[in-house]
Amino acid sequence: MEHEPEEIWQSVLAASAAALQEAGAEPRQVQAVGITNQRETLVLWDRKSGRPLHAAIVWQDRRTAAECDRLRESGAEEKVRRATGLVIDPYFTATKLHWAIDNVEGAPNAAAGTVDSWLVHRLTAGRTHLSDASNSSRTLLLDIDSGRWSEEMADLFGVPLGVLPEVVPSSGEVARTDPAEFGGVDAPISGIAGDQQAALFGQVCLEPGMAKNTYGTGSFVLLQTGADRVESRTGMLTTIAWLRDGRLSYALEGAIFVTGAALQWLRDGLGIIGAASEAGPLAESVPDSGGVFLVPAFAGLGAPYWDAYARGAILGLTRGTGRAHLVRAAVEAMAYQTADVVEAMAADAGRAFQELRVDGGASVMNFLCQFQADLLGIPVRRPKLTETTALGAAFLAGQGAGVWGSEGAPWQLDREFLPAVSRDEADTRLAEWRRAVERTRGS
């Protein structure tokens, strides 16, 4: 799985110009720039020319699965979890960087980073090489207690610390855009956060115990734990939520690799639907999935299973199964996977969830939100603005530039979904789902 770094940069230029035009604003009126990005993706570029040395290696890429197996078999897992809060998995950046060092010409002396680093490099005409703490914490190379790069992890994964960016706060001016590079905008870059941490901030989950789930290509549940680094016993990740005002905030995270991507597969791979927007109405057109379960382990399974060798499956097919049942099973799988993560996360935190705030493209489906509330047995709350990843980046940038105070902007409820089935019924559904998951396991 690869992206072209230059295409990413051009998309940012185009989107920024379109945003200014739609707002009726001039470049000189921009007061702050915020960045949010997919986190674990690796970009490498030449320090002198600024040109990418290789395609960006995307978080979903599994080329380093065998290397991760070797590291786990060597007994490194506990050491890695203790330092970084993460597990050894191809998902994260370190093994991608090790692969690049071995396979990409010039990589040992390159500048490396996640997508935020690449964008800051371009926004500042190549003068700056930095990454915020939330993105840095997703590399398997950051000591999340100190917020600094770990020599121990660099040695373990076989990567030179010299290629990595400076670690900076998530809010507050860290660089300034070059107007010649960025469409005439001369403004502070004052907010940076990985996409899921930005969504947590955009959902105003600032107090310990507050949680959100973003239904995107994958889905990511984050539980705010404040200044406390909570160790997981259930396959969750401990990650830095953000670094603000000199203080680190932490979160527990459950990373689900494929949710909305399953609908894309039904559309592009099987041709069952013509557009993702058809999924909600089709799912509601049948009373249930007809006993069908779709386990979308297309890139292995993430939390709480962490099985790189699991493969997707459709189970429970009968002659009466129609496309609506398959679509409903794909939508239900989003909620089932989320329930797996929420249950594990609550056990780690030692507290039950009181609510779940939801966002992302699929959260517009009322059926999904209701099914999620039924499975979890708690309110599911959807805000009026579901693009909370972008909103969080704006909140962080605005606060960092002094546009508004520490309270940010108010969170506004669109709709609350309350549980409508018994706990026994929900538990039965979850048990059937977990039996289906076990049929897909590769290890």
Side-chain angles (χ1 to χ4, degrees), residues 229-414:
R229 171 185 168 171
V230 175
E231 299 295 336
S232 176
R233 302 174 302 281
T234 65
M236 298 300 107
L237 308 175
T238 304
T239 194
I240 291 175
W242 44 71
L243 172 61
R244 297 170 61 225
D245 302 323
R247 296 190 298 274
L248 287 168
S249 288
Y250 296 93
L252 280 174
E253 175 174 328
I256 304 165
F257 292 159
V258 174
T259 51
L263 298 180
Q264 295 169 0
W265 175 68
L266 292 179
R267 181 193 66 200
D268 302 333
L270 299 187
I272 286 177
I273 54 176
S277 59
E278 297 176 18
L282 263 174
E284 290 186 274
S285 71
V286 289
D288 53 47
S289 68
V292 175
F293 290 91
L294 191 162
V295 184
F298 303 150
L301 289 169
Y305 304 101
W306 292 108
D307 185 346
Y309 297 99
R311 289 296 176 263
I314 301 173
L315 303 163
L317 293 172
T318 69
R319 183 63 182 82
T321 301
R323 71 185 187 111
H325 296 103
L326 289 175
V327 172
R328 182 171 178 126
V331 175
E332 288 183 352
M334 299 184 192
Y336 281 127
Q337 292 180 99
T338 300
D340 285 344
V341 167
V342 167
E343 181 179 306
M345 197 173 282
D348 282 336
R351 65 167 84 188
F353 280 44
Q354 299 304 306
E355 66 172 27
L356 183 67
R357 296 187 174 188
V358 297
D359 56 71
S363 67
V364 301
M365 286 190 281
N366 291 338
F367 165 71
L368 170 62
C369 294
Q370 183 59 59
F371 193 73
Q372 191 72 80
D374 291 344
L375 291 180
L376 295 178
I378 58 174
V380 168
R381 308 183 78 204
R382 182 176 65 201
K384 288 185 176 180
L385 181 58
T386 58
E387 292 292 348
T388 55
T389 300
L391 185 63
F395 281 3
L396 288 165
Q399 289 183 11
V403 175
W404 52 68
S406 60
E407 72 283 354
W411 186 88
Q412 295 179 303
L413 177 69
D414 170 48

